[in-house]
Amino acid sequence: MQVIATAGHVDHGKSALVRALTGMEPDRWAEERRRGLTIDLGFAWTKLPGGERVAFVDVPGHERFVPNMLAGLGPVPAVLFVVAADGGWMPQSAEHLAAIDAVGISHGLLAITRSDLADPGPATRQALDRISRTSLGAVPAVAVSAVTGAGLPDLRDALERLVAALPVPDPAAPVRLWVDRSFSIRGSGTVVTGTLPAGTVTAGQELLLTPSLRPARIRGLESMNEPVTSAAGVARVAVNLRGVPAGFPARGMALVEAGRWTLTRVLDVRLPASDAGVTLPAEMTLHIGSARTQARIRSLGAPLPPGPPVLSAIARLTLRDPLPLHVGDRVLLRDPGSASVTILGATVLDVDPPALARRGAAAAAGRELAAWPDPPSAAGLLRRHGFLRAGALAAMGVAGGPKPVAGDWLADPDRWASLGGRLAEVVAAHARRDPLAIGMAPEAARAALGLPDRTLVEALARGLRGQVLLEDGYLRPAGPPDTRGAASSLPPRLAAAVKAVLADLADAPFLAPDAGRLRELGLDPRAIAAAARAGLLLRVTEQVVLAPDAQAEAARILAGLPQPFTTAEARQALGTTRRVAIPLLEYLDRAGITQRLPDDRRRLRLARAHALVHPRAVRVSSRKPAAARKAR
Ligand SMILES: Nc1nc2c(ncn2[C@@H]2O[C@H](COP(=O)(O)OP(=O)(O)OP(=O)(O)O)[C@@H](O)[C@H]2O)c(=O)[nH]1
Ligand SMILES: [Mg+2]
């Protein structure tokens, strides 16, 4: 089906024409019928001769009801523009046409009504001329009379051609059903109606009602007064909602699919360049779909002169109420009080724009956005935001985009490429500033680089193997132990202390310095950890440190014992005390060099011990098995 809105000056015969075409009464209210004046939207439908169903949203022509007119016009793909033969072009003809142009509707036809009362020629020529200069372009024109019925068959044929030419919207498109009417039916509960421009609504589906995002399940559906199980846009639908009290929904709210729209109060838009230089009010009424709200307008152009902002092509709007929007949406701005600007159309460029904190940020944003294509691309949005979650980009209504760099994070490729080097720099700088530190916490690196999520730091580090290491949850400059932790990069006091410990251990390699000696040398747990990381000491426990090769040496000595051996035998062979022997054996158990048996004796795991004693064989075999085999 298709949905077509009427448009045209008050009393030019819109409702009479809809009545003549459909046999239905579009003026729903008694007051409307009594006064012969449409006040609010009316709905009627019919089948065209070829079988295609078409619904009409009949709008009021009176200037007082322009907001109602806009609510009807907002979501439709085509218009039936009405001009009376005996009335000619009138103020609301012009205003409705400006609204159509602002919303960007590009399909329609012209009906010259009341043709039984005057020659339709002059009105036709006048109207076609005005219409041709808008988004509608050249449209067919048909002269009709709702009273005599003259011209109605031609109008039906023209409608049929119009409907056949309309694009078929994507049934999988995100659902955004602007509510234009809400009522309750005894026994069924709350019902809302609207024009569904695209996507599919289905009985049982759960949608969210904006702006509260209150969940609402579809209990039942009707389209043109007939129950259906699903309806795909374009369609007029009446939706019976579960979980929403009567009186809660109102015109301007929308039923949307979760995760597929961005509910926003701030947006950047492009205004038509032809209006540049026109003085814009600081605040206008924004219309989209059936919604309207107040919008504060800030021009993103050159520095503003004092006084009201000057219209530039790019502006930031701050809304009184949040709306569910996509990048690429058309919004209409209206200022009923202004003499110079009454109706403007704008294209939404960003629905989650970055704050303009820095000096000059507004002008820079204006320059950047002015160069964007219509509709904006994923690449442009990523360049602007740096990073976006895939879900956020989808909720902006933008398809495509590069593969995620980490989790569901998408990145601007240039930004991402430059961040690797910067991460290496901040990690190296951190290590220089504090060589004893265990490393830089990824959270600190995230903050330093201004990234939105820690997983991005981790992904960057993984891409920087050889420059940055992520070990035990900390970032450190990578490199062979002797350059990475080298005595040269340790503070001189610590290097001297390490040297003293190694000297102590030279003759009795397993008589670890005791707590007093460690204290005397200034080797607190932090310093010991740093020296161990640098590969200068073997840290058995916080209080027991040995030379870095003590592990291999212990394996060699224990290999000489009859297997299995007791703790006492090991202690004696190693020439040490229980204070060292017990934690050292436990350390060797954990390293897989020794195995503790149920009777508390131990034996050497020969493969591991062998590898330790012949470290070259390990290094080769752990990386390149084939080469290792050859080497042996
Ligand atoms: N003679 C004649 N009268 C018509 C024709 N079409 C409408 N009228 C009359 O014109 C008057 C206004 O018609 P409506 O259909 O209410 O006009 P409208 O455009 O819907 O008006 P609003 O909704 O208030 O903007 C009514 O008295 C109609 O009977 C026509 O083709 N011929
Ligand atoms: Mg009417």
Side-chain angles (χ1 to χ4, degrees):
M1 90 182 273
Q2 281 297 344
V3 182
I4 296 175
T6 60
H9 195 71
V10 63
D11 261 354
H12 275 204
K14 299 178 292 297
S15 301
L17 187 59
V18 167
R19 207 176 295 125
L21 284 168
T22 65
M24 291 175 72
E25 177 54 67
D27 284 333
R28 293 174 289 127
W29 299 358
E31 185 193 352
E32 292 178 312
R33 293 199 289 273
R34 198 178 62 243
R35 293 171 61 185
L37 177 80
T38 304
I39 295 168
D40 199 7
L41 302 174
F43 308 98
W45 45 84
T46 188
K47 233 182 211 169
L48 293 170
E52 177 73 22
R53 295 169 316 158
V54 59
F56 293 95
V57 177
D58 184 37
V59 309
H62 196 284
E63 63 177 316
R64 272 193 19 227
F65 310 127
V66 168
N68 289 345
M69 181 274 290
L70 292 173
L73 191 70
V76 302
V79 289
L80 175 60
F81 204 97
V82 169
V83 178
D86 60 333
W89 197 253
M90 296 294 278
Q92 268 61 56
S93 311
E95 188 168 16
H96 287 200
L97 184 61
I100 290 165
D101 192 36
V103 174
I105 297 173
S106 56
H107 298 272
L109 59 90
L110 171 65
I112 301 297
T113 49
R114 296 168 61 110
S115 291
D116 52 318
L117 299 178
D119 171 11
T124 308
R125 283 191 292 279
Q126 208 180 9
L128 284 179
D129 174 53
R130 308 286 165 95
I131 290 172
S132 70
R133 289 183 247 152
T134 67
S135 58
L136 285 173
V139 297
V142 185
V144 293
S145 167
V147 170
T148 67
L152 286 181
D154 288 350
L155 182 59
R156 287 201 178 88
D157 289 346
L159 280 168
E160 198 151 297
R161 284 192 295 277
L162 170 67
V163 165
L166 289 175
V168 177
D170 181 3
V175 167
R176 179 177 56 181
L177 179 67
W178 295 107
V179 173
D180 51 32
R181 222 154 46 105
S182 170
F183 49 91
S184 64
I185 294 180
R186 197 196 296 263
S188 312
T190 308
V191 176
V192 299
T193 69
T195 302
L196 181 68
T200 305
V201 288
T202 308
Q205 184 179 12
E206 184 171 276
L207 297 169
L208 305 176
L209 193 60
T210 66
S212 61
L213 297 181
R214 182 188 185 112
R217 194 171 289 283
I218 301 182
R219 178 193 281 186
L221 272 178
E222 279 188 5
S223 187
M224 305 194 303
N225 275 4
E226 291 189 8
V228 290
T229 51
S230 77
V234 180
R236 281 296 305 171
V237 290
V239 184
N240 184 194
L241 296 175
R242 198 193 298 277
V244 179
F248 183 82
R251 175 173 294 173
M253 294 182 180
L255 285 168
V256 297
E257 279 177 283
R260 300 189 77 179
W261 296 89
T262 304
L263 190 71
T264 184
R265 221 184 268 275
V266 184
L267 52 151
D268 287 349
V269 300
R270 188 202 314 278
L271 294 152
S274 60
D275 290 320
V278 176
T279 302
L280 260 193
E283 191 160 315
M284 292 180 89
T285 307
L286 179 143
H287 296 257
I288 181 169
S290 63
R292 69 177 145 131
T293 186
Q294 287 308 107
R296 269 193 290 116
I297 302 175
R298 174 179 180 187
S299 170
L300 301 186
L304 294 178
V310 170
L311 176 59
S312 81
I314 306 292
R316 173 155 302 183
L317 308 184
T318 306
L319 310 181
R320 188 191 56 206
D321 311 296
L323 291 172
L325 296 179
H326 273 171
V327 160
D329 269 340
R330 288 284 294 182
V331 297
L332 182 149
L333 294 165
R334 182 165 177 265
D335 180 18
S338 152
S340 59
V341 184
T342 50
I343 287 180
L344 286 175
T347 303
V348 176
L349 297 177
D350 197 344
V351 289
D352 188 17
L356 301 171
R358 275 187 305 106
R359 264 196 84 192
R367 275 194 304 277
E368 181 186 6
L369 294 177
W372 277 20
D374 230 345
S377 65
L381 281 157
L382 275 171
R383 208 174 320 116
R384 180 169 211 215
H385 289 261
F387 296 90
L388 285 170
R389 288 189 187 273
L393 189 66
M396 291 179 170
V398 179
K403 277 211 308 240
V405 293
D408 63 348
W409 282 105
L410 309 180
D412 172 45
D414 291 344
R415 174 94 178 264
W416 187 245
S418 71
L419 275 167
R422 288 204 45 217
L423 178 65
E425 274 167 33
V426 299
V427 169
H430 182 274
R432 277 196 303 275
R433 257 195 326 275
D434 189 359
L436 294 194
I438 181 161
M440 188 173 197
E443 177 54 29
R446 184 205 63 71
L449 298 182
L451 297 179
D453 196 274
R454 222 179 63 190
T455 59
L456 292 166
V457 172
E458 290 156 6
L460 272 177
R462 280 194 298 275
L464 280 178
R465 248 176 241 138
Q467 284 185 74
V468 171
L469 274 182
L470 178 60
E471 262 176 13
D472 313 323
Y474 287 90
L475 297 159
R476 287 191 282 279
D482 51 18
T483 57
R484 137 156 76 114
S488 61
S489 81
L490 293 181
R493 246 173 51 95
L494 176 55
V498 168
K499 238 171 118 182
V501 169
L502 295 178
D504 290 355
L505 290 166
D507 294 333
F510 297 99
L511 277 181
D514 62 15
R517 175 71 173 144
L518 291 177
R519 209 175 315 115
E520 175 189 309
L521 292 171
L523 286 171
D524 61 7
R526 218 167 95 85
I528 289 172
R533 271 197 307 280
L536 299 174
L537 288 177
L538 176 70
R539 179 182 174 283
V540 177
T541 68
E542 206 158 89
Q543 289 289 307
V544 176
V545 295
L546 298 172
D549 60 354
Q551 201 175 229
E553 180 63 6
R556 197 184 57 76
I557 292 170
L558 296 175
L561 289 176
Q563 307 288 316
F565 50 85
T566 63
T567 303
E569 286 161 353
R571 180 182 57 72
Q572 256 165 21
L574 295 170
T576 187
T577 60
R578 281 179 63 82
R579 180 182 77 88
V580 176
I582 289 172
L584 177 60
L585 287 169
E586 283 166 359
Y587 181 93
L588 295 174
D589 291 341
R590 284 196 302 277
I593 293 163
T594 50
Q595 181 187 17
R596 185 174 184 168
L597 303 174
D599 64 0
D600 250 11
R601 290 188 299 169
R602 284 182 168 80
R603 64 180 165 72
L604 221 54
R605 291 176 189 265
L606 282 175
R608 294 302 294 270
H610 173 81
L612 256 187
V613 179
H614 304 279
R616 271 196 64 205
V618 190
R619 195 143 18 113
V620 176
S621 74
S622 69
R623 295 228 176 116
K624 290 189 199 140
R629 250 173 269 130
K630 232 182 276 163
R632 274 182 219 150

PDB file of all heavy atoms in Angstrom, residues 544-571:
ATOM      1  N   VAL A 544      62.994 -13.726  49.649  1.00  0.00           N
ATOM      2  CA  VAL A 544      64.070 -14.639  49.239  1.00  0.00           C
ATOM      3  C   VAL A 544      64.454 -14.351  47.796  1.00  0.00           C
ATOM      4  O   VAL A 544      63.659 -14.568  46.882  1.00  0.00           O
ATOM      5  CB  VAL A 544      63.625 -16.117  49.376  1.00  0.00           C
ATOM      6  CG1 VAL A 544      64.723 -17.059  48.862  1.00  0.00           C
ATOM      7  CG2 VAL A 544      63.288 -16.426  50.835  1.00  0.00           C
ATOM      8  N   VAL A 545      65.664 -13.794  47.625  1.00  0.00           N
ATOM      9  CA  VAL A 545      66.123 -13.513  46.265  1.00  0.00           C
ATOM     10  C   VAL A 545      67.449 -14.217  46.020  1.00  0.00           C
ATOM     11  O   VAL A 545      68.284 -14.350  46.916  1.00  0.00           O
ATOM     12  CB  VAL A 545      66.277 -11.992  46.005  1.00  0.00           C
ATOM     13  CG1 VAL A 545      64.935 -11.304  46.082  1.00  0.00           C
ATOM     14  CG2 VAL A 545      67.262 -11.374  46.967  1.00  0.00           C
ATOM     15  N   LEU A 546      67.609 -14.676  44.784  1.00  0.00           N
ATOM     16  CA  LEU A 546      68.819 -15.384  44.385  1.00  0.00           C
ATOM     17  C   LEU A 546      69.325 -14.799  43.081  1.00  0.00           C
ATOM     18  O   LEU A 546      68.674 -13.929  42.485  1.00  0.00           O
ATOM     19  CB  LEU A 546      68.505 -16.879  44.204  1.00  0.00           C
ATOM     20  CG  LEU A 546      68.024 -17.616  45.470  1.00  0.00           C
ATOM     21  CD1 LEU A 546      67.550 -19.023  45.125  1.00  0.00           C
ATOM     22  CD2 LEU A 546      69.142 -17.673  46.530  1.00  0.00           C
ATOM     23  N   ALA A 547      70.448 -15.302  42.601  1.00  0.00           N
ATOM     24  CA  ALA A 547      70.968 -14.844  41.307  1.00  0.00           C
ATOM     25  C   ALA A 547      70.058 -15.362  40.204  1.00  0.00           C
ATOM     26  O   ALA A 547      69.373 -16.375  40.389  1.00  0.00           O
ATOM     27  CB  ALA A 547      72.387 -15.362  41.109  1.00  0.00           C
ATOM     28  N   PRO A 548      70.043 -14.681  39.078  1.00  0.00           N
ATOM     29  CA  PRO A 548      69.093 -15.039  38.027  1.00  0.00           C
ATOM     30  C   PRO A 548      69.266 -16.477  37.523  1.00  0.00           C
ATOM     31  O   PRO A 548      68.304 -17.091  37.081  1.00  0.00           O
ATOM     32  CB  PRO A 548      69.364 -14.045  36.904  1.00  0.00           C
ATOM     33  CG  PRO A 548      70.409 -13.121  37.366  1.00  0.00           C
ATOM     34  CD  PRO A 548      70.858 -13.501  38.731  1.00  0.00           C
ATOM     35  N   ASP A 549      70.493 -17.039  37.610  1.00  0.00           N
ATOM     36  CA  ASP A 549      70.688 -18.390  37.070  1.00  0.00           C
ATOM     37  C   ASP A 549      70.491 -19.470  38.144  1.00  0.00           C
ATOM     38  O   ASP A 549      70.782 -20.643  37.921  1.00  0.00           O
ATOM     39  CB  ASP A 549      72.083 -18.510  36.440  1.00  0.00           C
ATOM     40  CG  ASP A 549      73.176 -18.251  37.483  1.00  0.00           C
ATOM     41  OD1 ASP A 549      72.824 -17.880  38.631  1.00  0.00           O
ATOM     42  OD2 ASP A 549      74.361 -18.408  37.161  1.00  0.00           O
ATOM     43  N   ALA A 550      69.952 -19.072  39.317  1.00  0.00           N
ATOM     44  CA  ALA A 550      69.838 -20.015  40.437  1.00  0.00           C
ATOM     45  C   ALA A 550      68.915 -21.179  40.111  1.00  0.00           C
ATOM     46  O   ALA A 550      69.110 -22.303  40.592  1.00  0.00           O
ATOM     47  CB  ALA A 550      69.339 -19.280  41.680  1.00  0.00           C
ATOM     48  N   GLN A 551      67.936 -20.932  39.280  1.00  0.00           N
ATOM     49  CA  GLN A 551      66.975 -21.962  38.931  1.00  0.00           C
ATOM     50  C   GLN A 551      67.681 -23.118  38.187  1.00  0.00           C
ATOM     51  O   GLN A 551      67.526 -24.281  38.540  1.00  0.00           O
ATOM     52  CB  GLN A 551      65.933 -21.318  38.025  1.00  0.00           C
ATOM     53  CG  GLN A 551      64.652 -22.047  37.969  1.00  0.00           C
ATOM     54  CD  GLN A 551      63.629 -21.256  37.137  1.00  0.00           C
ATOM     55  OE1 GLN A 551      62.536 -21.070  37.566  1.00  0.00           O
ATOM     56  NE2 GLN A 551      64.015 -20.783  35.982  1.00  0.00           N
ATOM     57  N   ALA A 552      68.460 -22.749  37.182  1.00  0.00           N
ATOM     58  CA  ALA A 552      69.173 -23.753  36.383  1.00  0.00           C
ATOM     59  C   ALA A 552      70.215 -24.471  37.254  1.00  0.00           C
ATOM     60  O   ALA A 552      70.390 -25.689  37.174  1.00  0.00           O
ATOM     61  CB  ALA A 552      69.844 -23.090  35.190  1.00  0.00           C
ATOM     62  N   GLU A 553      70.855 -23.684  38.107  1.00  0.00           N
ATOM     63  CA  GLU A 553      71.895 -24.247  38.962  1.00  0.00           C
ATOM     64  C   GLU A 553      71.270 -25.260  39.940  1.00  0.00           C
ATOM     65  O   GLU A 553      71.804 -26.346  40.137  1.00  0.00           O
ATOM     66  CB  GLU A 553      72.583 -23.092  39.714  1.00  0.00           C
ATOM     67  CG  GLU A 553      73.704 -23.496  40.658  1.00  0.00           C
ATOM     68  CD  GLU A 553      74.895 -24.165  39.967  1.00  0.00           C
ATOM     69  OE1 GLU A 553      74.912 -24.219  38.717  1.00  0.00           O
ATOM     70  OE2 GLU A 553      75.795 -24.674  40.684  1.00  0.00           O
ATOM     71  N   ALA A 554      70.112 -24.908  40.508  1.00  0.00           N
ATOM     72  CA  ALA A 554      69.426 -25.819  41.426  1.00  0.00           C
ATOM     73  C   ALA A 554      69.045 -27.101  40.697  1.00  0.00           C
ATOM     74  O   ALA A 554      69.210 -28.210  41.227  1.00  0.00           O
ATOM     75  CB  ALA A 554      68.188 -25.148  42.010  1.00  0.00           C
ATOM     76  N   ALA A 555      68.534 -26.973  39.473  1.00  0.00           N
ATOM     77  CA  ALA A 555      68.134 -28.148  38.700  1.00  0.00           C
ATOM     78  C   ALA A 555      69.337 -29.067  38.483  1.00  0.00           C
ATOM     79  O   ALA A 555      69.244 -30.290  38.607  1.00  0.00           O
ATOM     80  CB  ALA A 555      67.544 -27.719  37.357  1.00  0.00           C
ATOM     81  N   ARG A 556      70.484 -28.437  38.175  1.00  0.00           N
ATOM     82  CA  ARG A 556      71.689 -29.234  37.905  1.00  0.00           C
ATOM     83  C   ARG A 556      72.101 -30.007  39.166  1.00  0.00           C
ATOM     84  O   ARG A 556      72.380 -31.206  39.120  1.00  0.00           O
ATOM     85  CB  ARG A 556      72.821 -28.296  37.472  1.00  0.00           C
ATOM     86  CG  ARG A 556      73.990 -28.989  36.768  1.00  0.00           C
ATOM     87  CD  ARG A 556      75.092 -27.987  36.464  1.00  0.00           C
ATOM     88  NE  ARG A 556      75.593 -27.274  37.650  1.00  0.00           N
ATOM     89  CZ  ARG A 556      76.405 -27.803  38.545  1.00  0.00           C
ATOM     90  NH1 ARG A 556      76.815 -29.048  38.413  1.00  0.00           N
ATOM     91  NH2 ARG A 556      76.807 -27.097  39.585  1.00  0.00           N
ATOM     92  N   ILE A 557      72.057 -29.316  40.312  1.00  0.00           N
ATOM     93  CA  ILE A 557      72.489 -29.952  41.563  1.00  0.00           C
ATOM     94  C   ILE A 557      71.520 -31.063  41.965  1.00  0.00           C
ATOM     95  O   ILE A 557      71.917 -32.173  42.319  1.00  0.00           O
ATOM     96  CB  ILE A 557      72.613 -28.898  42.687  1.00  0.00           C
ATOM     97  CG1 ILE A 557      73.783 -27.961  42.360  1.00  0.00           C
ATOM     98  CG2 ILE A 557      72.761 -29.545  44.054  1.00  0.00           C
ATOM     99  CD1 ILE A 557      73.873 -26.741  43.255  1.00  0.00           C
ATOM    100  N   LEU A 558      70.203 -30.782  41.861  1.00  0.00           N
ATOM    101  CA  LEU A 558      69.202 -31.766  42.282  1.00  0.00           C
ATOM    102  C   LEU A 558      69.218 -32.982  41.357  1.00  0.00           C
ATOM    103  O   LEU A 558      68.900 -34.092  41.786  1.00  0.00           O
ATOM    104  CB  LEU A 558      67.803 -31.134  42.321  1.00  0.00           C
ATOM    105  CG  LEU A 558      67.646 -30.003  43.358  1.00  0.00           C
ATOM    106  CD1 LEU A 558      66.268 -29.357  43.246  1.00  0.00           C
ATOM    107  CD2 LEU A 558      67.892 -30.524  44.777  1.00  0.00           C
ATOM    108  N   ALA A 559      69.636 -32.789  40.120  1.00  0.00           N
ATOM    109  CA  ALA A 559      69.723 -33.912  39.175  1.00  0.00           C
ATOM    110  C   ALA A 559      70.781 -34.927  39.633  1.00  0.00           C
ATOM    111  O   ALA A 559      70.720 -36.106  39.296  1.00  0.00           O
ATOM    112  CB  ALA A 559      70.046 -33.401  37.773  1.00  0.00           C
ATOM    113  N   GLY A 560      71.738 -34.444  40.447  1.00  0.00           N
ATOM    114  CA  GLY A 560      72.797 -35.326  40.914  1.00  0.00           C
ATOM    115  C   GLY A 560      72.390 -36.174  42.115  1.00  0.00           C
ATOM    116  O   GLY A 560      73.140 -37.046  42.547  1.00  0.00           O
ATOM    117  N   LEU A 561      71.195 -35.925  42.668  1.00  0.00           N
ATOM    118  CA  LEU A 561      70.743 -36.680  43.841  1.00  0.00           C
ATOM    119  C   LEU A 561      70.047 -37.962  43.393  1.00  0.00           C
ATOM    120  O   LEU A 561      69.481 -38.011  42.294  1.00  0.00           O
ATOM    121  CB  LEU A 561      69.748 -35.833  44.644  1.00  0.00           C
ATOM    122  CG  LEU A 561      70.308 -34.636  45.409  1.00  0.00           C
ATOM    123  CD1 LEU A 561      69.164 -33.864  46.073  1.00  0.00           C
ATOM    124  CD2 LEU A 561      71.316 -35.106  46.459  1.00  0.00           C
ATOM    125  N   PRO A 562      70.026 -38.991  44.251  1.00  0.00           N
ATOM    126  CA  PRO A 562      69.186 -40.149  43.930  1.00  0.00           C
ATOM    127  C   PRO A 562      67.727 -39.689  43.947  1.00  0.00           C
ATOM    128  O   PRO A 562      67.333 -38.908  44.830  1.00  0.00           O
ATOM    129  CB  PRO A 562      69.477 -41.130  45.070  1.00  0.00           C
ATOM    130  CG  PRO A 562      70.212 -40.363  46.124  1.00  0.00           C
ATOM    131  CD  PRO A 562      70.745 -39.108  45.540  1.00  0.00           C
ATOM    132  N   GLN A 563      66.950 -40.130  42.984  1.00  0.00           N
ATOM    133  CA  GLN A 563      65.555 -39.681  42.857  1.00  0.00           C
ATOM    134  C   GLN A 563      64.629 -40.724  43.480  1.00  0.00           C
ATOM    135  O   GLN A 563      64.884 -41.926  43.292  1.00  0.00           O
ATOM    136  CB  GLN A 563      65.203 -39.503  41.383  1.00  0.00           C
ATOM    137  CG  GLN A 563      66.163 -38.614  40.609  1.00  0.00           C
ATOM    138  CD  GLN A 563      66.036 -37.138  40.964  1.00  0.00           C
ATOM    139  OE1 GLN A 563      64.925 -36.624  41.075  1.00  0.00           O
ATOM    140  NE2 GLN A 563      67.163 -36.464  41.179  1.00  0.00           N
ATOM    141  N   PRO A 564      63.542 -40.414  44.165  1.00  0.00           N
ATOM    142  CA  PRO A 564      63.255 -39.060  44.647  1.00  0.00           C
ATOM    143  C   PRO A 564      64.108 -38.708  45.848  1.00  0.00           C
ATOM    144  O   PRO A 564      64.754 -39.579  46.423  1.00  0.00           O
ATOM    145  CB  PRO A 564      61.777 -39.160  45.019  1.00  0.00           C
ATOM    146  CG  PRO A 564      61.542 -40.594  45.338  1.00  0.00           C
ATOM    147  CD  PRO A 564      62.529 -41.394  44.529  1.00  0.00           C
ATOM    148  N   PHE A 565      64.059 -37.430  46.231  1.00  0.00           N
ATOM    149  CA  PHE A 565      64.885 -36.966  47.348  1.00  0.00           C
ATOM    150  C   PHE A 565      64.015 -36.239  48.353  1.00  0.00           C
ATOM    151  O   PHE A 565      62.927 -35.768  48.013  1.00  0.00           O
ATOM    152  CB  PHE A 565      66.013 -36.059  46.844  1.00  0.00           C
ATOM    153  CG  PHE A 565      65.513 -34.964  45.934  1.00  0.00           C
ATOM    154  CD1 PHE A 565      65.023 -33.767  46.456  1.00  0.00           C
ATOM    155  CD2 PHE A 565      65.535 -35.132  44.544  1.00  0.00           C
ATOM    156  CE1 PHE A 565      64.565 -32.766  45.617  1.00  0.00           C
ATOM    157  CE2 PHE A 565      65.074 -34.127  43.710  1.00  0.00           C
ATOM    158  CZ  PHE A 565      64.594 -32.936  44.243  1.00  0.00           C
ATOM    159  N   THR A 566      64.514 -36.143  49.588  1.00  0.00           N
ATOM    160  CA  THR A 566      63.744 -35.445  50.631  1.00  0.00           C
ATOM    161  C   THR A 566      64.155 -33.981  50.652  1.00  0.00           C
ATOM    162  O   THR A 566      65.168 -33.590  50.065  1.00  0.00           O
ATOM    163  CB  THR A 566      64.035 -36.032  52.025  1.00  0.00           C
ATOM    164  OG1 THR A 566      65.432 -35.812  52.288  1.00  0.00           O
ATOM    165  CG2 THR A 566      63.739 -37.526  52.074  1.00  0.00           C
ATOM    166  N   THR A 567      63.386 -33.200  51.386  1.00  0.00           N
ATOM    167  CA  THR A 567      63.687 -31.774  51.520  1.00  0.00           C
ATOM    168  C   THR A 567      65.052 -31.604  52.190  1.00  0.00           C
ATOM    169  O   THR A 567      65.858 -30.760  51.787  1.00  0.00           O
ATOM    170  CB  THR A 567      62.591 -31.083  52.358  1.00  0.00           C
ATOM    171  OG1 THR A 567      61.339 -31.315  51.711  1.00  0.00           O
ATOM    172  CG2 THR A 567      62.827 -29.598  52.484  1.00  0.00           C
ATOM    173  N   ALA A 568      65.316 -32.427  53.181  1.00  0.00           N
ATOM    174  CA  ALA A 568      66.592 -32.310  53.894  1.00  0.00           C
ATOM    175  C   ALA A 568      67.765 -32.607  52.959  1.00  0.00           C
ATOM    176  O   ALA A 568      68.780 -31.891  52.976  1.00  0.00           O
ATOM    177  CB  ALA A 568      66.605 -33.259  55.084  1.00  0.00           C
ATOM    178  N   GLU A 569      67.593 -33.644  52.101  1.00  0.00           N
ATOM    179  CA  GLU A 569      68.657 -33.970  51.149  1.00  0.00           C
ATOM    180  C   GLU A 569      68.884 -32.814  50.174  1.00  0.00           C
ATOM    181  O   GLU A 569      70.027 -32.452  49.875  1.00  0.00           O
ATOM    182  CB  GLU A 569      68.300 -35.244  50.363  1.00  0.00           C
ATOM    183  CG  GLU A 569      68.444 -36.515  51.190  1.00  0.00           C
ATOM    184  CD  GLU A 569      67.673 -37.705  50.612  1.00  0.00           C
ATOM    185  OE1 GLU A 569      66.899 -37.515  49.626  1.00  0.00           O
ATOM    186  OE2 GLU A 569      67.827 -38.800  51.137  1.00  0.00           O
ATOM    187  N   ALA A 570      67.808 -32.240  49.727  1.00  0.00           N
ATOM    188  CA  ALA A 570      67.922 -31.122  48.792  1.00  0.00           C
ATOM    189  C   ALA A 570      68.620 -29.947  49.473  1.00  0.00           C
ATOM    190  O   ALA A 570      69.506 -29.300  48.900  1.00  0.00           O
ATOM    191  CB  ALA A 570      66.547 -30.701  48.292  1.00  0.00           C
ATOM    192  N   ARG A 571      68.188 -29.644  50.702  1.00  0.00           N
ATOM    193  CA  ARG A 571      68.754 -28.502  51.438  1.00  0.00           C
ATOM    194  C   ARG A 571      70.264 -28.665  51.560  1.00  0.00           C
ATOM    195  O   ARG A 571      71.033 -27.728  51.303  1.00  0.00           O
ATOM    196  CB  ARG A 571      68.104 -28.400  52.817  1.00  0.00           C
ATOM    197  CG  ARG A 571      68.621 -27.259  53.666  1.00  0.00           C
ATOM    198  CD  ARG A 571      67.988 -27.231  55.039  1.00  0.00           C
ATOM    199  NE  ARG A 571      68.157 -28.479  55.801  1.00  0.00           N
ATOM    200  CZ  ARG A 571      69.306 -28.869  56.326  1.00  0.00           C
ATOM    201  NH1 ARG A 571      70.401 -28.145  56.189  1.00  0.00           N
ATOM    202  NH2 ARG A 571      69.378 -30.009  56.995  1.00  0.00           N
TER     203      ARG A 571
END
